[in-house]
Amino acid sequence: MKAYVISLEGSERRAVARERAIECGLDLIFFDGINLVDKNPNDYLDLFDIDGFKLRHHRSPSSGDIGCTLSHYSLWKKLSNETKDKYHLILEDDFISKVHAEEILEVVNSTDLNFDVLLLGYSKVTAKEESIINIINPIKELYSTEQHRIGFKFRESSCGAVAYIVSRNFITKVSKLKQKPCHVPDDWPFFKQNGFNILHVKPLCFYEDFLNMKSYIKESGRYIPMHDNPSLNKKNLLFRVLRWVYRYSYGRLLASLMYFGIRSSS
């Protein structure tokens, strides 16, 4: 199965990605990402809507934010112009595959391609945190395979862009947008609000190797409590039990709402 991998030119990560791809049956095509980490964000006003970003995310974008977003947009445009494939698997170079390519194909085929974006992995997530996410933001199953459930979440979130599949419809429409990007690349609520159909898979097919590979946009100001503040995971037993009860109850409530066709607008 062919996969496009966004990676900085000359990155040592490419060798690791190739080894992992062999193990899971993927044929990688590397796409040179845009590295702006040491650049001034204001130098890219003609390509990126910084004021719009501030309104949407309530902070200023870092050069890493801008470079990452433009990298994904550039790949989408390239695929729109140069290929006729019905869908494309896109990875970031710090991916860890949990499944073989054959399982990914089964997931895709089960949907009859009724999606614009199919999210196969989340960023900064461990197996334990994946189980928590599935409780507090449940999935409404639309399709299934022997190993996976596919559907929409109660609420969309910026859950990462480490691994996802885009349809031809998605890249065609995004490439024709006249407005400049004003968001992080994984702002899936933005795309949902613009009419794109976004599906998720459970369990995930990919993780991000964030424990061993430093993020290119660590300086972006994006705060990840689970990992940036370890003290949050060292509460006493009573706190953890109450937190679990709250999460479970909250998740059951959302699942009930989804059963009656109610979901968040974000």
Side-chain angles (χ1 to χ4, degrees), residues 3 51 73 83 99 104 153 179:
D51 289 335
Y73 267 82
T83 74
V99 301
I104 300 173
K153 289 281 192 174
Q179 66 189 88

Side-chain angles (χ1 to χ4, degrees), residues 3-250:
Y4 293 88
V5 180
I6 297 175
S7 175
L8 297 184
E9 184 178 7
S11 173
E12 296 179 355
R13 294 184 179 188
R14 295 192 177 193
V16 178
R18 289 190 185 97
E19 292 180 4
R20 291 173 174 172
I22 292 173
E23 296 175 357
C24 61
L26 292 174
D27 180 17
L28 303 187
I29 301 173
F30 287 99
F31 178 80
D32 292 341
I34 300 172
N35 186 4
L36 303 180
V37 170
D38 296 322
K39 307 295 183 181
N40 186 339
N42 291 320
D43 293 339
Y44 299 91
L45 293 174
D46 57 333
L47 299 175
F48 194 88
D49 183 0
I50 291 179
D51 289 335
F53 185 100
K54 292 178 180 178
L55 289 173
R56 184 162 184 83
H57 296 292
H58 310 293
R59 65 175 176 86
S60 298
S62 72
S63 53
D65 283 316
I66 297 173
C68 189
T69 299
L70 294 180
S71 294
H72 284 263
Y73 267 82
S74 296
L75 176 55
W76 298 338
K77 185 173 182 179
K78 176 182 174 66
L79 294 175
S80 177
N81 292 335
E82 298 181 5
T83 74
K84 298 296 182 183
D85 294 345
K86 294 181 179 180
Y87 62 87
H88 304 277
L89 171 59
I90 297 176
L91 306 172
E92 294 181 331
D93 60 5
D94 52 356
F95 72 87
I96 299 176
S97 180
K98 297 172 56 187
V99 301
H100 193 272
E102 292 179 355
E103 285 190 41
I104 300 173
L105 287 172
E106 289 179 4
V107 167
V108 174
N109 292 333
S110 73
T111 69
D112 292 326
L113 302 184
N114 290 324
F115 63 84
D116 292 306
V117 180
L118 175 59
L119 297 177
L120 300 177
Y122 299 160
S123 295
K124 308 293 186 295
V125 167
T126 63
K128 178 181 178 181
E129 291 154 7
E130 178 185 355
S131 66
I132 294 173
I133 291 171
N134 287 331
I135 292 174
I136 63 177
N137 192 13
I139 190 171
K140 172 68 174 179
E141 180 181 334
L142 301 177
Y143 314 99
S144 65
T145 68
E146 186 175 341
Q147 296 86 11
H148 295 89
R149 297 167 59 198
I150 304 97
F152 58 79
K153 289 281 192 174
F154 181 83
R155 180 187 302 105
E156 288 300 337
S157 63
S158 295
C159 54
V162 66
Y164 60 95
I165 293 177
V166 289
S167 68
R168 176 145 192 87
N169 177 66
F170 176 84
I171 59 175
T172 299
K173 289 186 176 180
V174 169
S175 298
K176 292 180 179 179
L177 291 177
K178 297 187 181 300
Q179 66 189 88
K180 294 180 289 187
C182 63
H183 53 84
V184 290
D186 62 339
D187 189 352
W188 304 118
F190 169 85
F191 293 107
K192 177 184 174 182
Q193 291 159 6
N194 280 273
F196 292 107
N197 182 28
I198 299 173
L199 299 183
H200 298 248
V201 63
K202 173 187 175 183
L204 296 174
C205 298
F206 292 88
Y207 284 155
E208 176 190 3
D209 192 5
F210 66 94
L211 296 176
N212 298 307
M213 295 184 177
K214 180 181 178 182
S215 173
Y216 290 135
I217 54 175
K218 179 68 175 177
E219 306 84 359
S220 68
R222 298 167 74 181
Y223 178 61
I224 307 166
M226 278 281 192
H227 307 289
D228 290 352
N229 189 353
S231 65
L232 293 179
N233 292 319
K234 297 181 180 179
K235 301 292 184 180
N236 61 42
L237 178 61
L238 177 60
F239 173 84
R240 284 182 285 158
V241 170
L242 292 176
R243 182 174 60 180
W244 184 89
V245 171
Y246 167 76
R247 286 171 170 170
Y248 182 82
S249 301
Y250 180 71

